[in-house]
Amino acid sequence: MINYILQVILFQALFLAVYDLFLQKETFFKWNRFYLLSTPVLSFILPLLKFKSIQETIPQEYIVQLPTVFLNPQAVIEQTVQSGSTLNYISIIFFVGLSFFALLFLIKLTKILQLIITNKVIKKQHYSLVVLEKKQSAFSFFNYIFINEHLLKSEDLQIIKHELIHCKQNHTLDLLFFEILKIVLWFNPLVYVYQKRITLLHEYISDAEVVLETNKKMYFNKLLSETFNVENISFINQFFKHSLIKKRIVMITKEKSKRMKQLKYLLIVPLLLGMLVYVSCSNDSQMDIEQVEKVLNKENSISEGKYFEGENGFKMFLGTHLVGEVVSIEEYTEKEKAVFNKFKNIEKPKLDISIIINENGDRVYFAKTKYFSNVNNKKINDDGSIPFAVIDEVPIYPGCVGTKDELRTCLQEKITQAISENFNVNLATELNLESGVKRIFVMFKIDKNGNIADIKARAPHKALQEEAIRVVNLLPKMVSGKHHGENVGVKYSLPIAFKVE
């Protein structure tokens, strides 16, 4: 879910960037209104679209994820078990914010209703005038036009004409749409930006309609002639809003944009294509544990060669190695242990289940299988490496014997042992790091000659990064992997964890 929300915010930011840079200064008001209303909806839909044709067109690199090496395993396990029982503070904060902004919206709505109830209402054919005695303001809400008493007595019809256009074109619905988004995505500042953009656009639309029957100079002189108090409510259309008046005058005096400039809207085509490629080639990052149980209880829930598919679009990946930190069985929550124990009873296909923490910190439920793979037809990469899932003969650590699965397990155990024995565990203490569990991520390749190559590391301190590279360099030369009788390279990801007291 977190990854989905981040994608929604990213897409909204890109859509707004296109609007601000290329579209907002043009006089294609109806087109701009459609753009501002449709792109937030698209930002929610696009992350859900996964086109297999795009996935197959874009080459992907698969990396073998080795189990986490715990340098002081007992200390790490104790801390993770304690942290597993903590409350889900993110969910609590989200619902507190949701409740607060919903309450705030209801207060604002009540304020509008009170104005209608406590003031004189004059019924017209297509709208109603609410005459305000105390407030020096002019604004509209659905088919209600709120106007100060002295403006009505002076027969200032331009203001009424302006607000009537808001009523006829249902501008209040636009603003309420963004109010709902502000409640649900209260933490997303881009929703507020969207609402400001469409509020200004509403004024442009109404101004453009009024000046067709009124002298432009007289109209914007009217805007500047008086200072009015305005309601601090985001879902009403206000005639006199000081922050918008300058921009409105500039747009009133601006010449109509040439039709050729409508081609700017074509900029959204490559933007949409880029977004579709991005979402099609990215993996879902978080699975709900309750959904895992539902999948396990369903018959024929395996989609051959790809993933488990259950309710609400849930997918559990098969035959794909996700880059990230593998969570050991000791770090599973009690609920996760209970759910994944059910996999032991599944015989067809035989599954190897693990949890991976990805780059966003999400827990990814990941299934590997030796019967099915979604990369069976993948070719050797340009650098001579190959996905582990399709390799004929896996790399062999010196001294390991047995079947392909046994050789793989032996290699993992030997690498874990070598790292644990050679890593300077006192280094973290010497660096005066803050207490807690620290993690190092190492990437390396066993090349087609069996040598350790292309070592890269990320760590909380440069000295730890250098130590991790040094230790991996100590791994012996191995028997390289083979595919179709040729030596090939295989890439690995190795997480290292330790606790600083």
Side-chain angles (χ1 to χ4, degrees), residues 225-424:
S225 62
E226 297 188 50
T227 301
F228 288 84
N229 297 319
V230 293
E231 296 292 336
N232 187 25
I233 299 176
S234 53
F235 53 86
I236 59 175
N237 297 107
Q238 304 177 44
F239 185 78
F240 293 100
K241 192 168 185 178
H242 305 297
S243 61
L244 305 183
I245 287 178
K246 182 180 178 180
K247 294 178 180 179
R248 288 170 60 186
I249 291 174
V250 171
M251 189 58 71
I252 290 171
T253 57
K254 183 181 177 65
E255 293 185 5
K256 191 174 181 180
S257 299
K258 296 180 180 179
R259 293 178 63 88
M260 182 64 67
K261 291 188 176 182
Q262 290 181 351
L263 294 175
K264 288 184 177 182
Y265 292 97
L266 294 178
L267 290 170
I268 197 175
V269 175
L271 182 62
L272 288 174
L273 289 176
M275 292 176 178
L276 287 174
V277 170
Y278 171 74
V279 299
S280 294
C281 297
S282 62
N283 290 318
D284 298 335
S285 62
Q286 187 174 359
M287 307 302 173
D288 190 344
I289 197 69
E290 284 79 11
Q291 290 179 316
V292 177
E293 289 189 277
K294 290 179 182 178
V295 171
L296 294 177
N297 293 328
K298 288 181 63 177
E299 295 182 0
N300 302 321
S301 61
I302 296 174
S303 176
E304 181 172 338
K306 295 292 184 180
Y307 44 73
F308 283 104
E309 185 166 4
E311 298 178 6
N312 302 322
F314 161 76
K315 295 178 182 179
M316 175 176 283
F317 300 98
L318 295 179
T320 304
H321 291 274
L322 303 178
V323 178
E325 175 199 349
V326 174
V327 180
S328 69
I329 188 66
E330 291 84 2
E331 293 183 88
Y332 285 20
T333 65
E334 291 300 317
K335 192 168 187 178
E336 286 172 340
K337 287 181 181 178
V339 171
F340 285 107
N341 281 336
K342 295 181 181 180
F343 276 97
K344 294 179 180 179
N345 300 323
I346 297 179
E347 296 180 356
K348 295 182 180 181
K350 184 177 180 181
L351 299 176
D352 178 15
I353 306 302
S354 61
I355 298 177
I356 292 175
I357 298 179
N358 70 359
E359 295 177 354
N360 297 324
D362 301 322
R363 294 171 84 88
V364 179
Y365 304 106
F366 172 61
K368 291 179 288 184
T369 171
K370 66 179 182 180
Y371 294 113
F372 295 140
S373 172
N374 63 344
V375 290
N376 285 329
N377 297 321
K378 186 173 175 64
K379 298 179 181 179
I380 297 175
N381 298 326
D382 294 336
D383 61 357
S385 64
I386 192 169
F388 190 78
V390 299
I391 194 169
D392 292 337
E393 298 180 25
V394 300
I396 302 174
Y397 198 97
C400 290
V401 293
T403 64
K404 180 178 176 179
D405 286 343
E406 291 171 342
L407 289 172
R408 179 186 62 190
T409 302
C410 181
L411 178 140
Q412 294 176 348
E413 292 175 349
K414 292 291 186 181
I415 290 178
T416 298
Q417 181 181 353
I419 299 299
S420 300
E421 291 176 353
N422 294 299
F423 199 97
N424 182 5

Side-chain angles (χ1 to χ4, degrees), residues 34-249:
F34 177 77
Y35 182 92
L36 289 175
L37 290 174
S38 61
T39 52
V41 177
L42 279 175
S43 68
F44 284 96
I45 296 174
L46 287 171
L48 303 176
L49 302 178
K50 305 281 185 179
F51 291 99
K52 295 180 181 179
S53 57
I54 297 178
Q55 290 177 331
E56 294 170 356
T57 302
I58 306 296
Q60 300 182 30
E61 187 175 78
Y62 297 85
I63 301 172
V64 178
Q65 176 65 60
L66 295 171
T68 302
V69 177
F70 295 101
L71 300 180
N72 47 353
Q74 187 58 38
V76 174
I77 291 170
E78 287 175 359
Q79 174 155 331
T80 52
V81 168
Q82 293 173 1
S83 62
S85 62
T86 58
L87 295 173
N88 189 342
Y89 291 106
I90 294 178
S91 296
I92 294 174
I93 293 172
F94 171 76
F95 285 108
V96 168
L98 186 73
S99 302
F100 173 78
F101 282 90
L103 179 62
L104 194 63
F105 170 75
L106 291 175
I107 292 173
K108 293 178 179 180
L109 187 60
T110 302
K111 189 176 181 180
I112 293 294
L113 296 176
Q114 285 179 340
L115 288 176
I116 297 174
I117 296 171
T118 58
N119 289 278
K120 181 181 178 181
V121 178
I122 302 174
K123 298 286 186 178
K124 300 290 183 178
Q125 185 176 358
H126 300 294
Y127 63 96
S128 297
L129 279 174
V130 181
V131 183
L132 306 177
E133 297 179 359
K134 298 179 180 180
K135 296 181 179 295
Q136 294 277 83
S137 56
F139 58 91
S140 61
F141 180 72
F142 284 110
N143 289 330
Y144 287 93
I145 297 177
F146 298 77
I147 190 167
N148 185 263
E149 188 177 22
H150 89 274
L151 289 174
L152 187 61
K153 290 179 179 178
S154 64
E155 297 184 352
D156 199 334
L157 300 180
Q158 290 179 356
I159 297 176
I160 297 177
K161 288 180 180 178
H162 177 99
E163 296 302 327
L164 189 56
I165 293 167
H166 288 312
C167 298
K168 290 180 178 179
Q169 297 197 15
N170 296 314
H171 289 172
T172 302
L173 289 176
D174 298 358
L175 298 178
L176 287 177
F177 167 70
F178 287 106
E179 283 297 316
I180 294 172
L181 287 185
K182 282 165 62 176
I183 294 173
V184 178
L185 298 178
W186 56 267
F187 50 86
N188 179 12
L190 297 180
V191 177
Y192 299 81
V193 177
Y194 260 107
Q195 192 176 54
K196 287 183 178 180
R197 296 292 185 273
I198 202 160
T199 299
L200 179 58
L201 183 63
H202 288 166
E203 300 307 316
Y204 290 165
I205 293 172
S206 293
D207 289 340
E209 293 288 337
V210 173
V211 296
L212 292 176
E213 303 175 2
T214 309
N215 182 275
K216 287 185 179 181
K217 291 185 178 180
M218 289 179 60
Y219 185 71
F220 66 68
N221 282 336
K222 180 63 181 177
L223 291 177
L224 296 173
S225 62
E226 297 188 50
T227 301
F228 288 84
N229 297 319
V230 293
E231 296 292 336
N232 187 25
I233 299 176
S234 53
F235 53 86
I236 59 175
N237 297 107
Q238 304 177 44
F239 185 78
F240 293 100
K241 192 168 185 178
H242 305 297
S243 61
L244 305 183
I245 287 178
K246 182 180 178 180
K247 294 178 180 179
R248 288 170 60 186
I249 291 174

